[in-house]
PDB file of all heavy atoms in Angstrom:
ATOM      1  N   GLY A 227      81.124   4.785 129.938  1.00 90.00           N
ATOM      2  CA  GLY A 227      79.877   4.111 130.019  1.00 90.00           C
ATOM      3  C   GLY A 227      78.789   5.006 129.354  1.00 90.00           C
ATOM      4  O   GLY A 227      79.035   5.568 128.298  1.00 90.00           O
ATOM      5  N   ASP A 228      77.625   5.082 129.982  1.00 88.00           N
ATOM      6  CA  ASP A 228      76.517   5.855 129.372  1.00 88.00           C
ATOM      7  C   ASP A 228      76.457   7.269 129.986  1.00 88.00           C
ATOM      8  O   ASP A 228      75.470   7.921 129.968  1.00 88.00           O
ATOM      9  CB  ASP A 228      75.186   5.130 129.558  1.00 88.00           C
ATOM     10  CG  ASP A 228      74.908   4.818 130.986  1.00 88.00           C
ATOM     11  OD1 ASP A 228      75.731   5.110 131.890  1.00 88.00           O
ATOM     12  OD2 ASP A 228      73.830   4.208 131.238  1.00 88.00           O
ATOM     13  N   ALA A 229      77.607   7.746 130.507  1.00 89.00           N
ATOM     14  CA  ALA A 229      77.647   9.092 131.013  1.00 89.00           C
ATOM     15  C   ALA A 229      77.443  10.117 129.904  1.00 89.00           C
ATOM     16  O   ALA A 229      77.859   9.949 128.806  1.00 89.00           O
ATOM     17  CB  ALA A 229      78.967   9.346 131.765  1.00 89.00           C
ATOM     18  N   SER A 230      76.817  11.258 130.243  1.00 93.00           N
ATOM     19  CA  SER A 230      76.952  12.404 129.316  1.00 93.00           C
ATOM     20  C   SER A 230      78.350  12.720 129.229  1.00 93.00           C
ATOM     21  O   SER A 230      79.065  12.804 130.273  1.00 93.00           O
ATOM     22  CB  SER A 230      76.169  13.595 129.902  1.00 93.00           C
ATOM     23  OG  SER A 230      74.799  13.384 129.792  1.00 93.00           O
ATOM     24  N   PRO A 231      78.879  13.006 128.128  1.00 95.00           N
ATOM     25  CA  PRO A 231      80.296  13.233 127.950  1.00 95.00           C
ATOM     26  C   PRO A 231      80.791  14.466 128.701  1.00 95.00           C
ATOM     27  O   PRO A 231      80.040  15.471 128.862  1.00 95.00           O
ATOM     28  CB  PRO A 231      80.487  13.461 126.423  1.00 95.00           C
ATOM     29  CG  PRO A 231      79.218  13.801 125.906  1.00 95.00           C
ATOM     30  CD  PRO A 231      78.183  13.171 126.762  1.00 95.00           C
ATOM     31  N   ALA A 232      82.017  14.376 129.190  1.00 97.00           N
ATOM     32  CA  ALA A 232      82.634  15.561 129.700  1.00 97.00           C
ATOM     33  C   ALA A 232      83.526  16.082 128.601  1.00 97.00           C
ATOM     34  O   ALA A 232      83.879  15.318 127.612  1.00 97.00           O
ATOM     35  CB  ALA A 232      83.467  15.186 130.943  1.00 97.00           C
ATOM     36  N   VAL A 233      83.846  17.360 128.583  1.00 98.00           N
ATOM     37  CA  VAL A 233      84.788  17.943 127.649  1.00 98.00           C
ATOM     38  C   VAL A 233      86.009  18.335 128.351  1.00 98.00           C
ATOM     39  O   VAL A 233      86.006  19.015 129.433  1.00 98.00           O
ATOM     40  CB  VAL A 233      84.122  19.120 126.887  1.00 98.00           C
ATOM     41  CG1 VAL A 233      85.092  19.580 125.762  1.00 98.00           C
ATOM     42  CG2 VAL A 233      82.805  18.795 126.290  1.00 98.00           C
ATOM     43  N   TYR A 234      87.145  17.902 127.759  1.00 98.00           N
ATOM     44  CA  TYR A 234      88.452  18.117 128.354  1.00 98.00           C
ATOM     45  C   TYR A 234      89.188  19.011 127.413  1.00 98.00           C
ATOM     46  O   TYR A 234      89.096  18.912 126.180  1.00 98.00           O
ATOM     47  CB  TYR A 234      89.144  16.792 128.492  1.00 98.00           C
ATOM     48  CG  TYR A 234      90.612  16.833 128.859  1.00 98.00           C
ATOM     49  CD1 TYR A 234      91.011  17.117 130.123  1.00 98.00           C
ATOM     50  CD2 TYR A 234      91.620  16.671 127.865  1.00 98.00           C
ATOM     51  CE1 TYR A 234      92.377  17.226 130.458  1.00 98.00           C
ATOM     52  CE2 TYR A 234      92.929  16.713 128.231  1.00 98.00           C
ATOM     53  CZ  TYR A 234      93.335  16.994 129.504  1.00 98.00           C
ATOM     54  OH  TYR A 234      94.666  17.049 129.852  1.00 98.00           O
ATOM     55  N   GLY A 235      90.019  19.870 128.013  1.00 98.00           N
ATOM     56  CA  GLY A 235      90.864  20.800 127.153  1.00 98.00           C
ATOM     57  C   GLY A 235      92.155  20.918 127.773  1.00 98.00           C
ATOM     58  O   GLY A 235      92.348  20.787 128.961  1.00 98.00           O
ATOM     59  N   GLU A 236      93.189  21.123 126.924  1.00 98.00           N
ATOM     60  CA  GLU A 236      94.585  21.164 127.398  1.00 98.00           C
ATOM     61  C   GLU A 236      95.311  22.254 126.752  1.00 98.00           C
ATOM     62  O   GLU A 236      95.365  22.387 125.483  1.00 98.00           O
ATOM     63  CB  GLU A 236      95.229  19.787 127.049  1.00 98.00           C
ATOM     64  CG  GLU A 236      96.538  19.544 127.781  1.00 98.00           C
ATOM     65  CD  GLU A 236      97.025  18.045 127.507  1.00 98.00           C
ATOM     66  OE1 GLU A 236      96.262  17.158 127.733  1.00 98.00           O
ATOM     67  OE2 GLU A 236      98.169  17.993 127.108  1.00 98.00           O
ATOM     68  N   LEU A 237      95.928  23.106 127.567  1.00 98.00           N
ATOM     69  CA  LEU A 237      96.782  24.189 127.001  1.00 98.00           C
ATOM     70  C   LEU A 237      98.096  24.198 127.799  1.00 98.00           C
ATOM     71  O   LEU A 237      98.042  24.619 129.012  1.00 98.00           O
ATOM     72  CB  LEU A 237      96.052  25.522 127.135  1.00 98.00           C
ATOM     73  CG  LEU A 237      96.777  26.784 126.640  1.00 98.00           C
ATOM     74  CD1 LEU A 237      96.957  26.695 125.130  1.00 98.00           C
ATOM     75  CD2 LEU A 237      96.066  28.076 127.015  1.00 98.00           C
ATOM     76  N   ASN A 238      99.155  23.847 127.165  1.00 98.00           N
ATOM     77  CA  ASN A 238     100.416  23.876 127.841  1.00 98.00           C
ATOM     78  C   ASN A 238     101.154  25.128 127.600  1.00 98.00           C
ATOM     79  O   ASN A 238     101.173  25.627 126.471  1.00 98.00           O
ATOM     80  CB  ASN A 238     101.236  22.673 127.441  1.00 98.00           C
ATOM     81  CG  ASN A 238     100.699  21.379 127.954  1.00 98.00           C
ATOM     82  OD1 ASN A 238     100.329  21.274 129.131  1.00 98.00           O
ATOM     83  ND2 ASN A 238     100.522  20.397 127.101  1.00 98.00           N
ATOM     84  N   VAL A 239     101.796  25.696 128.586  1.00 98.00           N
ATOM     85  CA  VAL A 239     102.465  26.944 128.502  1.00 98.00           C
ATOM     86  C   VAL A 239     103.939  26.715 128.694  1.00 98.00           C
ATOM     87  O   VAL A 239     104.374  26.172 129.737  1.00 98.00           O
ATOM     88  CB  VAL A 239     101.932  27.962 129.515  1.00 98.00           C
ATOM     89  CG1 VAL A 239     102.751  29.208 129.525  1.00 98.00           C
ATOM     90  CG2 VAL A 239     100.460  28.304 129.250  1.00 98.00           C
ATOM     91  N   PRO A 240     104.839  27.047 127.697  1.00 97.00           N
ATOM     92  CA  PRO A 240     106.221  26.778 127.782  1.00 97.00           C
ATOM     93  C   PRO A 240     106.739  27.436 129.080  1.00 97.00           C
ATOM     94  O   PRO A 240     106.492  28.621 129.348  1.00 97.00           O
ATOM     95  CB  PRO A 240     106.894  27.398 126.541  1.00 97.00           C
ATOM     96  CG  PRO A 240     105.741  27.422 125.560  1.00 97.00           C
ATOM     97  CD  PRO A 240     104.494  27.601 126.353  1.00 97.00           C
ATOM     98  N   GLY A 241     107.501  26.701 129.868  1.00 96.00           N
ATOM     99  CA  GLY A 241     108.106  27.230 131.097  1.00 96.00           C
ATOM    100  C   GLY A 241     107.205  27.166 132.278  1.00 96.00           C
ATOM    101  O   GLY A 241     107.744  27.336 133.407  1.00 96.00           O
ATOM    102  N   ALA A 242     105.959  26.907 132.110  1.00 98.00           N
ATOM    103  CA  ALA A 242     105.067  26.838 133.303  1.00 98.00           C
ATOM    104  C   ALA A 242     105.325  25.546 134.056  1.00 98.00           C
ATOM    105  O   ALA A 242     105.548  24.545 133.523  1.00 98.00           O
ATOM    106  CB  ALA A 242     103.614  26.940 132.840  1.00 98.00           C
ATOM    107  N   THR A 243     105.287  25.697 135.383  1.00 97.00           N
ATOM    108  CA  THR A 243     105.535  24.527 136.261  1.00 97.00           C
ATOM    109  C   THR A 243     104.212  24.071 136.954  1.00 97.00           C
ATOM    110  O   THR A 243     104.188  23.010 137.479  1.00 97.00           O
ATOM    111  CB  THR A 243     106.575  24.804 137.317  1.00 97.00           C
ATOM    112  OG1 THR A 243     106.149  25.889 138.150  1.00 97.00           O
ATOM    113  CG2 THR A 243     107.939  25.228 136.725  1.00 97.00           C
ATOM    114  N   ARG A 244     103.285  24.941 137.003  1.00 98.00           N
ATOM    115  CA  ARG A 244     102.050  24.565 137.658  1.00 98.00           C
ATOM    116  C   ARG A 244     100.897  24.413 136.698  1.00 98.00           C
ATOM    117  O   ARG A 244     100.896  25.008 135.662  1.00 98.00           O
ATOM    118  CB  ARG A 244     101.663  25.715 138.687  1.00 98.00           C
ATOM    119  CG  ARG A 244     102.663  25.954 139.790  1.00 98.00           C
ATOM    120  CD  ARG A 244     102.567  24.914 140.876  1.00 98.00           C
ATOM    121  NE  ARG A 244     103.213  25.405 142.088  1.00 98.00           N
ATOM    122  CZ  ARG A 244     103.131  24.690 143.217  1.00 98.00           C
ATOM    123  NH1 ARG A 244     102.466  23.505 143.272  1.00 98.00           N
ATOM    124  NH2 ARG A 244     103.698  25.207 144.280  1.00 98.00           N
ATOM    125  N   THR A 245      99.943  23.597 137.113  1.00 98.00           N
ATOM    126  CA  THR A 245      98.766  23.319 136.291  1.00 98.00           C
ATOM    127  C   THR A 245      97.413  23.546 137.027  1.00 98.00           C
ATOM    128  O   THR A 245      97.271  23.037 138.105  1.00 98.00           O
ATOM    129  CB  THR A 245      98.864  21.818 135.791  1.00 98.00           C
ATOM    130  OG1 THR A 245     100.091  21.651 135.046  1.00 98.00           O
ATOM    131  CG2 THR A 245      97.660  21.538 134.837  1.00 98.00           C
ATOM    132  N   LEU A 246      96.605  24.319 136.377  1.00 98.00           N
ATOM    133  CA  LEU A 246      95.292  24.555 137.004  1.00 98.00           C
ATOM    134  C   LEU A 246      94.213  23.788 136.212  1.00 98.00           C
ATOM    135  O   LEU A 246      94.241  23.870 134.950  1.00 98.00           O
ATOM    136  CB  LEU A 246      94.922  26.013 137.042  1.00 98.00           C
ATOM    137  CG  LEU A 246      95.835  26.907 137.872  1.00 98.00           C
ATOM    138  CD1 LEU A 246      95.276  28.357 137.776  1.00 98.00           C
ATOM    139  CD2 LEU A 246      95.868  26.483 139.310  1.00 98.00           C
ATOM    140  N   MET A 247      93.334  23.116 136.844  1.00 98.00           N
ATOM    141  CA  MET A 247      92.202  22.462 136.193  1.00 98.00           C
ATOM    142  C   MET A 247      91.008  23.347 136.381  1.00 98.00           C
ATOM    143  O   MET A 247      90.604  23.677 137.468  1.00 98.00           O
ATOM    144  CB  MET A 247      91.943  21.119 136.824  1.00 98.00           C
ATOM    145  CG  MET A 247      90.804  20.309 136.223  1.00 98.00           C
ATOM    146  SD  MET A 247      91.188  19.647 134.642  1.00 98.00           S
ATOM    147  CE  MET A 247      92.434  18.442 135.047  1.00 98.00           C
ATOM    148  N   LEU A 248      90.450  23.875 135.278  1.00 98.00           N
ATOM    149  CA  LEU A 248      89.320  24.790 135.357  1.00 98.00           C
ATOM    150  C   LEU A 248      88.080  23.965 135.108  1.00 98.00           C
ATOM    151  O   LEU A 248      87.867  23.380 134.023  1.00 98.00           O
ATOM    152  CB  LEU A 248      89.444  25.838 134.360  1.00 98.00           C
ATOM    153  CG  LEU A 248      90.753  26.692 134.398  1.00 98.00           C
ATOM    154  CD1 LEU A 248      90.703  27.802 133.339  1.00 98.00           C
ATOM    155  CD2 LEU A 248      90.952  27.286 135.741  1.00 98.00           C
TER     156      LEU A 248
END
Side-chain angles (χ1 to χ4, degrees):
D228 55 0
S230 287
V233 184
Y234 170 78
E236 194 173 307
L237 180 66
N238 291 312
V239 172
T243 60
R244 298 282 201 175
T245 301
L246 296 182
M247 180 73 69
L248 305 181

